[in-house]
Amino acid sequence: MTLPPRLIPLLEQFDFACERLLARLAGPVMDSGNGVDIGVSPLGDDEYLWEPVPDCWSVRRRGDEPGARATALAGAGDWGRDSADSPHPFPPPFTTLAWRLSHLAEMLTLRADHTHGSRSLTRDGYRTPGDAAGAVAAFETASAAWREALLTADDTALDTVGYSTYPNGSDAEDPFVDIVWWVNQEVLHHGAEIALLRDLYRARPS
């Protein structure tokens, strides 16, 4: 299928954001932004779960209590992500790299399924990795699934409200092209936050 012209720049932006984030997480090098490769140490488990300030929201073992102001550990399996029912705590808790990466992978996985899959996956069934390598692999798999879903969209789909039935966003209210744009913003801004957390971890006092 020929891609709709207005989808092409959005797909290119998504690819760029994912490639930058994966290189920033896994290395061994990444483009510094001016064409120069810089070395990157792969994300480790200690850094993945690092809490730079008190009372962070993070990813925790299922047998542990949720973090401060969280009421549940979302998802399935041995690990869950701190969460709370709406309205969420204010001011918002500071979230760890693990929380942010898990959030991205879950969102992409579920949105892909609710666009071009079984349309049945839920947050309660999502399995959050408890280790860095598993989390990076989960993001890579999820971003590939969302990309595959985008390739099914023609011009009619881009204008269709509810083309994605993802239940945790505005998908039921907005044209699909707006959802595609929003997902890009999620990857871009959380990717930037994750990159900053990597810099802060590297520069932390010994």
Side-chain angles (χ1 to χ4, degrees), residues 93-117:
F94 191 91
T95 53
T96 64
L97 190 156
W99 194 101
R100 295 170 201 232
L101 190 56
S102 172
H103 164 65
L104 282 178
E106 178 206 85
M107 177 200 67
L108 292 168
T109 298
L110 267 61
R111 271 210 163 95
D113 177 71
H114 283 271
T115 301
H116 188 60

Side-chain angles (χ1 to χ4, degrees), residues 28-190:
V29 296
M30 68 169 291
D31 186 338
S32 65
N34 61 3
V36 176
D37 284 343
I38 56 174
V40 175
S41 299
L43 180 69
D45 291 345
D46 287 346
E47 182 180 358
Y48 175 64
L49 295 171
W50 178 55
E51 298 192 16
V53 297
D55 298 334
C56 286
W57 274 16
S58 190
V59 166
R60 307 183 192 280
R61 292 186 185 277
R62 184 69 56 190
D64 295 340
E65 294 293 322
R69 297 192 291 156
T71 57
L73 293 174
D78 295 336
W79 294 76
R81 191 173 70 248
D82 283 325
S83 64
D85 293 332
S86 185
H88 299 307
F90 187 85
F94 191 91
T95 53
T96 64
L97 190 156
W99 194 101
R100 295 170 201 232
L101 190 56
S102 172
H103 164 65
L104 282 178
E106 178 206 85
M107 177 200 67
L108 292 168
T109 298
L110 267 61
R111 271 210 163 95
D113 177 71
H114 283 271
T115 301
H116 188 60
S118 68
R119 299 190 177 224
S120 64
L121 296 186
T122 66
R123 284 180 170 173
D124 289 342
Y126 182 78
R127 301 179 73 88
T128 296
D131 65 293
V136 173
F139 174 76
E140 188 169 13
T141 298
S143 59
W146 175 244
R147 191 183 198 283
E148 188 66 26
L150 294 181
L151 298 181
T152 70
D154 57 16
D155 263 315
T156 299
L158 291 178
D159 291 327
T160 299
V161 174
Y163 183 74
S164 164
T165 61
Y166 176 69
N168 306 117
S170 63
D171 302 49
E173 304 162 9
D174 295 329
F176 186 59
V177 68
D178 290 358
I179 301 303
V180 176
W181 177 87
W182 173 252
V183 169
N184 283 8
Q185 306 320 301
E186 284 282 284
V187 177
L188 286 162
H189 90 256
H190 284 306

